[in-house]
């Protein structure tokens, strides 16, 4: 059983900082998606205009006037943006929920795996929780690289209840 308590002001600021970083990541992915839309919309037209007449271009799958072209292109970009968000562990909505409910959890567990992510801007910890159901959980340190922790070490983690963003971590 885990204890949940209310966050302090410093912990709220840490979560707000993590939320800003996540918002920047999402905006970056949306800009990548919009850039891909522009490239995919204009490059085929450029090559088609060199070889075909306007009527032939309008009949192709790569025409601006073809509805299926836009459906395919926008669905591809939407899937790409969500895939990038999933791969990079963006926790935007769960951090917002933590900032609304202001609950934090505290556990004392051994580390199973430690790895760096997002260009060494984030350290992720996998722990195996004991209890009724043994399960592995992933926790995120959003303030850079942590090299002091190794697999097998017993740690005490204070984290946002829903986002599992680590507010404080120390060796037990």
């Amino acid at each position: 059983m885990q204890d949940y308590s209310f966050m302090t002001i410093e912990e709220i600021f840490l979560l707000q900082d993590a939320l800003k970083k996540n918002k920047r990541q999402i905006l970056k992915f949306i800009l990548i998606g919009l850039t891909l839309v522009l490239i995919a919309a204009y490059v085929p037209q450029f090559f088609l205009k060199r070889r075909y007449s306007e009527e032939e271009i309008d009949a192709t799958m790569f025409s601006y006037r073809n509805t299926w072209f836009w459906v395919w292109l926008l669905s591809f970009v939407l899937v790409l943006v969500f895939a990038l968000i999933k791969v990079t562990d963006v926790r935007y909505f769960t951090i917002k929920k933590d900032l609304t409910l202001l609950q934090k959890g505290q556990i004392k567990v051994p580390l199973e795996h430690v790895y760096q992510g997002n260009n060494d801007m984030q350290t992720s910890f996998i722990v195996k929780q004991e209890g009724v159901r043994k399960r592995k959980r992933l926790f995120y340190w959003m303030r850079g690289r942590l090299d002091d922790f190794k697999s097998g070490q017993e740690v005490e983690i204070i984290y946002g209840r829903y986002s599992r963003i680590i507010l404080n971590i120390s060796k037990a």
Side-chain angles (χ1 to χ4, degrees):
M1 187 74 182
Q2 293 180 345
D3 296 342
Y4 295 109
S5 58
F6 288 109
M7 292 182 189
T8 64
I9 300 296
E10 295 90 23
E11 292 167 340
I12 293 170
F13 284 129
L14 291 174
L15 276 180
Q16 287 175 340
D17 186 48
L19 186 68
K20 286 178 192 174
K21 288 178 184 176
N22 276 258
K23 190 182 282 187
R24 261 187 256 128
Q25 283 286 94
I26 290 172
L27 289 175
K28 182 171 68 172
F29 295 150
I30 290 172
L31 287 175
I32 289 170
L34 290 175
T35 303
L36 286 175
V37 165
L38 291 174
I39 290 170
Y42 287 111
V43 169
Q45 292 295 314
F46 176 74
F47 288 109
L48 288 173
K49 284 184 181 181
R50 298 169 99 192
R51 295 185 181 179
Y52 299 109
S53 67
E54 281 298 318
E55 297 86 27
E56 292 173 325
I57 292 172
D58 289 342
T60 67
M61 187 69 166
F62 296 109
S63 172
Y64 293 129
R65 294 183 179 96
N66 189 340
T67 306
W68 289 112
F69 170 74
W70 290 106
V71 169
W72 170 84
L73 184 62
L74 293 177
S75 62
F76 169 75
V77 168
L78 188 66
V79 167
L80 176 72
V81 168
F82 280 111
L84 287 170
I85 288 171
K86 180 65 178 167
V87 166
T88 58
D89 291 327
V90 173
R91 316 276 310 157
Y92 181 80
F93 295 107
T94 55
I95 295 172
K96 293 232 2 141
K97 189 172 184 179
D98 275 341
L99 285 170
T100 303
L101 299 176
L102 299 176
Q103 291 182 335
K104 66 180 177 180
Q106 181 173 354
I107 59 172
K108 192 175 195 179
V109 291
L111 294 176
E112 195 162 297
H113 297 287
V114 179
Y115 62 94
Q116 310 301 321
N118 292 341
N119 296 328
D120 291 337
M121 297 300 294
Q122 169 181 320
T123 304
S124 300
F125 299 94
I126 297 176
V127 301
K128 191 171 198 173
Q129 287 183 295
E130 299 294 327
V132 178
R133 293 180 293 166
K134 292 182 181 181
R135 62 181 183 182
K136 294 180 182 180
R137 307 251 349 238
L138 184 61
F139 292 89
Y140 307 92
W141 176 262
M142 300 294 291
R143 290 172 275 163
R145 185 180 180 106
L146 281 180
D147 291 325
D148 298 341
F149 298 94
K150 305 290 182 223
S151 297
Q153 287 180 329
E154 183 88 14
V155 295
E156 186 174 339
I157 298 175
I158 298 172
Y159 62 97
R161 179 177 182 177
Y162 296 100
S163 64
R164 295 191 312 270
I165 299 292
I166 296 173
L167 304 171
N168 189 13
I169 185 170
S170 60
K171 296 177 183 175

